[in-house]
């Protein structure tokens, strides 16, 4: 009887461990965002929502068009709404080799490389410092794109 009870509690402990492992992996997969850009200078969405409980978020940008990155390049840059226009302007001066992103600029909360048609890029960034009621804008900083290729990133409340 003693042995059965201890086996049972060992089984219970394993089940609890498995349950917690599985909830961690579910959460990690929910913290993956995806967006595409095309040859028409468009993202496929104007809103991205970070699920509740995410600390690190991975974002994958896929260019589903065919044009090269120096003609119709796309990236994904995250700033506050207040910093968006100034960072977009500064990005133009950074040039393609710097992915049109101002370097060492704290206003840039996250940014990807510039990709061309058929290419994809993934970044991981931490969202713990973002505020649930903050206004965050994502945009493509390729010259001439940010007026159209932009959207809102929200933290799920
Ligand atoms: Co673009």
């Amino acid at each position: 009887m003693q042995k059965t009870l201890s086996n049972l509690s060992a089984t219970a402990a394993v089940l609890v461990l498995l349950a917690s492992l599985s909830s961690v992996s579910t959460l990690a997969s929910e913290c993956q965002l995806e967006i595409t850009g095309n040859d028409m200078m468009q993202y496929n969405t104007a809103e991205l929502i970070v699920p509740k409980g995410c600390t690190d978020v991975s974002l994958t940008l896929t260019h589903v068009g065919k044009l090269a990155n120096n003609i119709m390049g796309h990236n994904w840059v995250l700033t506050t709404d207040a910093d968006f226009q100034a960072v977009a302007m500064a990005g133009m001066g950074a040039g393609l080799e710097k992915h049109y992103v101002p370097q060492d600029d704290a206003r840039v909360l996250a940014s990807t490389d510039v990709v061309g048609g058929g290419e994809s890029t993934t970044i991981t960034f931490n969202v713990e410092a973002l505020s649930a009621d903050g206004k965050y804008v994502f945009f493509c900083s390729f010259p001439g794109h940010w007026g159209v290729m932009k959207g809102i990133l929200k933290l799920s409340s």
Side-chain angles (χ1 to χ4, degrees):
M1 191 59 188
Q2 193 86 14
K3 188 157 194 299
T4 309
L5 273 176
S6 95
N7 278 348
L8 275 175
S9 69
T11 306
V14 167
L15 286 175
V16 167
L17 180 63
L18 284 175
S20 65
L21 283 176
S22 110
S23 78
V24 165
S25 71
T26 303
L27 193 57
S29 69
E30 285 170 357
C31 299
Q32 295 174 358
L33 302 176
E34 295 187 353
I35 188 166
T36 65
N38 64 20
D39 282 343
M40 308 287 286
M41 207 197 296
Q42 295 163 329
Y43 284 136
N44 67 329
T45 183
E47 184 178 87
L48 290 170
I49 296 175
V50 175
K52 195 171 185 155
C54 295
T55 53
D56 289 316
V57 171
S58 89
L59 175 123
T60 298
L61 165 68
T62 303
H63 192 316
V64 296
K66 293 190 165 118
L67 297 173
N69 72 348
N70 61 333
I71 295 170
M72 182 56 69
H74 302 313
N75 66 355
W76 187 92
V77 181
L78 182 69
T79 65
T80 64
D81 183 48
D83 289 336
F84 153 56
Q85 291 208 12
V87 171
M89 298 299 285
M92 276 195 272
L96 179 57
E97 58 280 11
K98 297 279 200 290
H99 300 279
Y100 296 110
V101 175
Q103 303 298 290
D104 302 319
D105 189 325
R107 297 173 299 180
V108 177
L109 303 176
S111 69
T112 71
D113 288 352
V114 171
V115 291
E119 297 174 338
S120 176
T121 184
T122 299
I123 54 165
T124 300
F125 58 100
N126 189 285
V127 294
E128 286 172 295
L130 303 190
S131 146
D133 51 5
K135 283 190 78 181
Y136 301 98
V137 172
F138 64 83
F139 61 98
C140 174
S141 64
F142 191 96
H145 289 201
W146 54 271
V148 180
M149 295 187 74
K150 65 179 185 220
I152 303 288
L153 180 133
K154 291 179 183 167
L155 299 188
S156 180
S157 50

